[in-house]
Amino acid sequence: MKRTPHLLAIQSHVVFGHAGNSAAVFPMQRVGVNVWPLNTVQFSNHTQYGQWAGEVLAPQQIPALVEGIAAIGELGQCDAVLSGYLGSAAQGRAILTGVARIKAANPKALYLCDPVMGHPEKGCIVAPEVSEFLLEEAAAVADLMCPNQLELDSFSGRKAQSLLDCLAMARALLVRGPKAVLVKHLAYPGKPEDSFEMLLVTADGSWHLRRPLLAFPRQPVGVGDLTSGLFLARILLGDSLVAAFEFTAAAVHEVLLETQACASYELELVRAQDRIAHPRVRFEAVPISL
């Protein structure tokens, strides 16, 4: 019997709704990965509601929990680490300590960094020190990075002016250390208004993917977390980077179709679970070059 992959997911958690681990854990489990959730924050709900309750995990708890897993002899079973929303740069450094410990136990383990930098206009606020940590420290350690356009712009210190400019910016991020960069959501002058676009860039090639942009009164939160989680999960299950990219785009689209049909603000992950595992649609990743 083929071994089930194991993945440590270190990011935020909300009690109600879907963001961070609450958006990523169940879908990753549904496609066949055993997930170990480690929650950097526990909030009542995501911050775009404008009010929430909860607390941030003390940074020292992250390596302590990793060591607890090591103490029972299971750390070598961890095939990957996924990190997302950080409450502080100190949390980020604690995650890197945990990543180093896991890679010592399993040198083949991957680290995917979803560099959440916040979106003040939507009510998602991240401290400037976190953005600096992601660029200056996390990028050098990550095997995979999954920024959105805002984060890619932030890394580059400017706004993209075209699709090819986005490609150049992603390639520049590769130079900092990651083996692959998945841009989860492209936004640039001239992009068709009715399309949602993504970009996958590696040292060996680059691929552009387009799917329909679905309309919502308020865009659901957690789509990026879902995207990063499924992308890493499919890689652990044996997909090539391009196949994982295409699968992820299709599965996320299925979730959004169900969410739209239910007129829901929160992602309809449970209702869409079979479509997550077996998407009915397919979007082709098309090679692109400068």
Side-chain angles (χ1 to χ4, degrees):
M1 181 181 296
K2 188 175 180 180
R3 176 180 171 277
T4 300
H6 297 255
L7 183 159
L8 176 64
I10 312 177
Q11 53 185 341
S12 60
H13 169 78
V14 293
V15 177
F16 169 82
H18 301 293
N21 271 339
S22 304
V25 170
F26 173 64
M28 291 191 288
Q29 292 171 330
R30 187 63 182 81
V31 300
V33 173
N34 191 359
V35 185
W36 307 344
L38 197 168
N39 301 324
T40 56
V41 305
Q42 176 160 273
F43 289 167
S44 56
N45 49 272
H46 67 69
T47 59
Q48 292 186 36
Y49 281 100
Q51 60 183 39
W52 63 92
E55 60 185 8
V56 176
L57 182 72
Q60 62 268 26
Q61 286 296 312
I62 296 172
L65 290 167
V66 172
E67 286 301 327
I69 299 170
I72 61 172
E74 294 294 335
L75 201 61
Q77 297 294 319
C78 185
D79 299 296
V81 179
L82 166 67
S83 71
Y85 177 87
L86 303 174
S88 66
Q91 267 195 349
R93 294 186 183 101
I95 289 172
L96 296 190
T97 298
V99 169
R101 183 70 174 86
I102 288 165
K103 283 181 173 278
N106 178 11
K108 294 182 179 179
L110 298 174
Y111 171 39
L112 186 152
C113 175
D114 186 347
V116 180
M117 292 186 182
H119 201 310
E121 293 178 2
K122 294 182 178 180
C124 181
I125 300 171
V126 173
E129 65 169 17
V130 171
S131 299
E132 183 177 342
F133 160 79
L134 291 166
L135 180 60
E136 300 299 332
E137 300 178 51
V141 177
D143 298 291
L144 309 162
M145 290 196 83
C146 294
N148 60 24
Q149 187 71 60
L150 183 150
E151 292 147 2
L152 185 64
D153 290 350
S154 206
F155 280 142
S156 303
R158 61 185 178 84
K159 289 190 175 183
Q161 298 303 308
S162 67
L163 174 57
L164 292 182
D165 198 20
C166 294
L167 175 55
M169 292 161 74
R171 284 183 174 175
L173 183 53
L174 278 182
V175 175
R176 291 184 173 268
K179 299 176 181 66
V181 172
L182 170 62
V183 186
K184 297 175 295 188
H185 180 196
L186 294 173
Y188 57 86
K191 186 185 78 67
E193 294 184 0
D194 62 348
S195 71
F196 186 98
E197 300 183 15
M198 304 167 70
L199 189 65
L200 173 65
V201 181
T202 73
D204 298 323
S206 306
W207 295 265
H208 176 244
L209 186 148
R210 178 180 287 132
R211 62 172 173 80
L213 177 63
L214 301 179
F216 293 90
R218 290 191 296 176
Q219 285 293 326
V221 172
V223 177
D225 306 318
L226 173 62
T227 299
S228 297
L230 283 175
F231 181 61
L232 181 56
R234 291 301 306 187
I235 291 170
L236 294 183
L237 290 166
D239 281 3
S240 68
L241 290 172
V242 174
F245 182 38
E246 292 182 334
F247 179 97
T248 298
V252 171
H253 186 68
E254 293 278 16
V255 172
L256 291 173
L257 284 172
E258 190 67 35
T259 303
Q260 185 187 58
C262 293
S264 175
Y265 179 38
E266 296 286 351
L267 294 173
E268 291 289 341
L269 298 176
V270 173
R271 291 180 66 94
Q273 62 178 291
D274 291 340
R275 300 276 64 86
I276 292 172
H278 306 287
R280 298 165 294 185
V281 297
R282 181 179 182 273
F283 303 106
E284 182 182 2
V286 179
I288 182 175
S289 61
L290 290 173

